[in-house]
Amino acid sequence: MFKRPLCWLDHLILHNETGLDPPGVRVRAVPGLAAADYFASGYFVWAVLIENLAKIGYEGKNLFMAAYDWRLSFQNTEIRDQALSRLKSKIELMYVTNGYKKVVVVPHSMGAIYFLHFLKWVELPPLLGGGGGPGWCNKHIKAIMNTGPTFLGSPKMVTSILTTEGKDVASFRAMLAGILDSEILGIQTLEHVLRVSRTWDSTVSLLPKGGETIWGNLDWFPEEEQACVLSKRSSQTLVNDSSTDVKGGLQLKESIKGGRIVSFSKSASQLPSSELPPFDAKEFFGAHTGKNSGSSCEEVWTEYDLINRESIRKFVENKAFTAATVFDLLRFVAPKMMQRAESQFSHGIADNLDDPKYEHYRYWSNPLESRLPDAPDMEIYCLYGVGAPTERSYVLKVSPSDRCKSIPFRIDTSVDGEEGSCLKSGVYSVDGDESVPTLSAGFMCAKGWKGSTRFNPYDIRTYVREYQHKPSTSLLEGRSIESGSHVDILGNYAYVEDILRVAAGATGADIGGDRIHSDILKMSEKIKLQL
């Protein structure tokens, strides 16, 4: 990784037309508990939970790590590796060899929507699915304890595809621009990362789902009145209301419109929609493929190499993009990637779930375009951290460089909001677990699946269990046992206790039902979704 980084990246890249193995390279997921107990020495992932499960009697016979290649589209994990078939067989075997006791499944992050895909696949007849038939899930699964779930996607993935940047990378780049963007050194780190990541179809599965109905439009978004988390090291929250005196005497004057996932200029993030320039994506498509002049682009191939920079500038100039229109932007700057990946994933809301088209696998991982299985005795949990600043929308700028190998966008780190604002260094933050906004992690359990809805016709019981984020007070303390951040939550003592109790036989009612610290219920009420 450090001695030969380009060789390492060449092994992680997939074929940019098929989304499968490139010629001559086969990289596979490590099997067993060792696949994800630790990321590196001293940095746990699942290790804390594994150790605690062992203390109440779990071992190799009844504890299994379902590793899969997270780079691939979900259906391609079955086509290439038979990952879904292997998971079905393992659940059936564990069910039989452990006295016909149902399993508890604990997916994390993307694993939550991967397992949602599995739930649909396993019921369908052979050729289409796993052949389990209606009732398979009810027979074999006691509970699904989704941890840090990305059910409705994450805005963070939009800038990852556009620029490879998030808040931390943008700050690092601002400090070390002379290194990362040097033409003399020719390192081009971000370009190489983009070259690789744009072959991973799975990244598209994490784009925001539900469009403007869920995430808001140019003038509205469901979190606009929620508390603003000012600091990772403070649990104090300030109400987003300019007429209210809040602790410390600060008055917040938020004018940014968070429903605009991406804005090109600070004014585009704040102006009323009536004052923004008109935008029609159709006039741009088909007229932007003139290659850039200058040096050869063969060394670091990205789709930006094929797009005229002047076309890009005109497409985005003073524009703002919502969770619906940002797909036009992505299709414009990454047409090959989006064409390939959108054949595998969908991000809309179903009008009629009885429409036969929803039997296609591209809809299965979207909870707004699929039904939960026939499993009225099963329970579904949404377990996630809250109280940590989480990226929600971005102010981008067009990079000054017109080299064909450069990435034309970057986060505008010079943009800040008013004092006490949630807009800092070009990134607007809301409540969440540092990676996934509360809205994405909690909405389905709080409203979309709550009771008998068209997405949950068999009235599967759902529970929201939130963990208030409390970071370490010092570097010497290490990772906090009360952290609610996206990965550290796997070591949160309250989270581990919830898993242990359910794994030992408790129900959601036994552990106290819903436990909510955030404004997820208020946010959910504002979302007008047909249920």
Side-chain angles (χ1 to χ4, degrees):
M1 179 176 174
F2 294 105
K3 290 182 178 180
R4 301 175 64 196
L6 294 184
C7 178
W8 179 67
L9 289 176
D10 284 340
H11 281 73
L12 285 180
I13 201 169
L14 295 171
H15 195 281
N16 62 22
E17 292 183 1
T18 66
L20 295 169
D21 292 330
V25 177
R26 289 191 296 273
V27 175
R28 299 293 182 265
V30 177
L33 296 179
D37 53 353
Y38 290 91
F39 175 72
S41 180
Y43 190 90
F44 69 81
V45 184
W46 290 102
V48 174
L49 184 59
I50 292 169
E51 292 165 5
N52 278 277
L53 286 167
K55 291 178 181 178
I56 64 169
Y58 277 85
E59 38 134 347
K61 178 183 177 183
N62 50 24
L63 181 63
F64 174 68
M65 178 80 71
Y68 67 99
D69 191 335
W70 44 261
R71 300 172 302 163
L72 302 179
S73 73
F74 302 158
Q75 193 64 15
N76 275 344
T77 66
E78 173 66 12
I79 292 171
R80 196 194 71 177
D81 303 331
Q82 294 75 52
L84 300 174
S85 295
R86 293 170 187 267
L87 179 55
K88 175 177 180 282
S89 297
K90 190 66 180 182
I91 289 174
E92 291 172 338
L93 179 63
M94 292 178 73
Y95 171 74
V96 172
T97 56
N98 288 283
Y100 301 97
K101 293 178 181 177
K102 298 181 184 182
V103 304
V104 174
V105 184
V106 189
H108 176 252
S109 193
M110 184 198 291
I113 54 176
Y114 182 81
F115 198 72
L116 203 60
H117 181 100
F118 171 83
L119 293 177
K120 186 72 174 181
W121 173 88
V122 76
E123 286 191 326
L124 292 174
L127 299 183
L128 288 176
W136 186 93
C137 297
N138 201 55
K139 177 180 178 181
H140 293 95
I141 302 175
K142 175 185 187 291
I144 306 170
M145 307 195 75
N146 301 288
T147 306
T150 55
F151 283 131
L152 300 180
S154 175
K156 196 173 185 177
M157 192 50 58
V158 174
T159 55
S160 177
I161 293 174
L162 288 174
T163 72
T164 72
E165 289 183 331
K167 178 175 61 177
D168 295 336
V169 173
S171 299
F172 181 76
R173 184 179 192 178
M175 291 186 291
L176 298 174
I179 295 177
L180 289 181
D181 299 324
S182 171
E183 292 191 43
I184 299 174
L185 295 176
I187 297 174
Q188 296 179 275
T189 304
L190 299 181
E191 284 82 359
H192 281 294
V193 171
L194 185 71
R195 170 178 69 92
V196 174
S197 62
R198 280 208 178 165
T199 67
W200 299 344
D201 289 342
S202 61
T203 59
V204 174
S205 76
L206 298 174
L207 290 172
K209 300 180 178 73
E212 295 180 0
T213 299
I214 299 294
W215 295 94
N217 56 31
L218 293 174
D219 296 312
W220 166 88
F221 65 111
E223 300 106 322
E224 61 185 340
E225 295 177 3
Q226 76 163 54
C228 171
V229 182
L230 296 180
S231 170
K232 295 180 182 179
R233 302 217 174 266
S234 172
S235 60
Q236 176 185 349
T237 56
L238 300 178
V239 179
N240 182 11
D241 182 289
S242 60
S243 64
T244 304
D245 267 339
V246 293
K247 293 181 180 179
L250 293 177
Q251 292 183 325
L252 300 187
K253 298 179 180 179
E254 292 285 18
S255 56
I256 192 170
K257 309 296 184 183
R260 307 172 190 199
I261 301 294
V262 170
S263 303
F264 286 87
S265 77
K266 184 176 182 179
S267 62
S269 72
Q270 297 174 322
L271 288 173
S273 58
S274 59
E275 297 181 31
L276 290 173
F279 173 65
D280 182 3
K282 294 179 182 178
E283 68 179 270
F284 289 94
F285 284 93
H288 70 297
T289 55
K291 261 198 171 186
N292 298 286
S293 60
S295 59
S296 168
C297 294
E298 295 177 1
E299 188 177 339
V300 189
W301 180 90
T302 72
E303 289 197 70
Y304 285 130
D305 310 335
L306 307 176
I307 304 172
N308 181 274
R309 294 305 164 99
E310 182 62 19
S311 297
I312 291 176
R313 187 189 63 78
K314 289 181 179 179
F315 191 91
V316 303
E317 191 171 32
N318 292 319
K319 303 290 196 317
F321 298 86
T322 67
T325 58
V326 77
F327 282 87
D328 291 327
L329 174 59
L330 292 169
R331 293 175 190 126
F332 183 78
V333 300
K336 291 183 178 179
M337 175 193 180
M338 293 302 290
Q339 183 178 10
R340 185 187 68 241
E342 286 190 294
S343 70
Q344 302 287 332
F345 299 105
S346 179
H347 301 82
I349 300 174
D351 293 323
N352 177 15
L353 285 167
D354 292 322
D355 190 323
K357 78 174 186 179
Y358 292 110
E359 294 302 306
H360 192 278
Y361 57 76
R362 70 188 294 257
Y363 300 102
W364 298 349
S365 62
N366 182 353
L368 302 175
E369 294 182 306
S370 62
R371 292 189 179 102
L372 291 177
D374 181 359
D377 300 324
M378 189 174 76
E379 294 182 333
I380 294 180
Y381 296 76
C382 292
L383 314 169
Y384 55 90
V386 296
T390 304
E391 296 166 47
R392 174 58 157 83
S393 60
Y394 303 84
V395 179
L396 301 187
K397 64 180 180 180
V398 178
S399 302
S401 173
D402 61 356
R403 290 180 299 132
C404 69
K405 290 186 286 186
S406 68
I407 298 171
F409 304 133
R410 64 178 63 177
I411 295 174
D412 190 347
T413 54
S414 67
V415 173
D416 290 302
E418 304 292 333
E419 184 179 1
S421 170
C422 290
L423 174 61
K424 296 183 182 300
S425 299
V427 180
Y428 182 81
S429 298
V430 293
D431 193 10
D433 68 0
E434 294 184 338
S435 292
V436 183
T438 297
L439 176 66
S440 176
F443 174 79
M444 293 309 298
C445 284
K447 182 175 180 179
W449 290 329
K450 204 70 171 180
S452 180
T453 71
R454 65 190 183 108
F455 306 111
N456 181 17
Y458 300 99
D459 199 10
I460 297 172
R461 293 181 299 281
T462 65
Y463 299 97
V464 176
R465 302 283 289 179
E466 296 182 343
Y467 308 91
Q468 186 69 43
H469 177 59
K470 295 182 181 179
S472 301
T473 55
S474 71
L475 293 175
L476 297 176
E477 184 183 336
R479 296 162 75 189
S480 171
I481 61 171
E482 294 183 272
S483 174
S485 69
H486 193 61
V487 177
D488 287 0
I489 193 175
L490 298 175
N492 181 295
Y493 78 95
Y495 163 79
V496 171
E497 180 182 349
D498 283 348
I499 300 290
L500 294 180
R501 292 183 66 186
V502 173
T507 65
D510 294 332
I511 67 173
D514 293 340
R515 182 179 60 211
I516 297 174
H517 299 289
S518 72
D519 289 336
I520 184 62
L521 297 181
K522 292 180 181 178
M523 286 186 270
S524 299
E525 288 173 5
K526 296 177 183 178
I527 294 173
K528 305 306 179 185
L529 178 68
Q530 178 193 346
L531 297 176

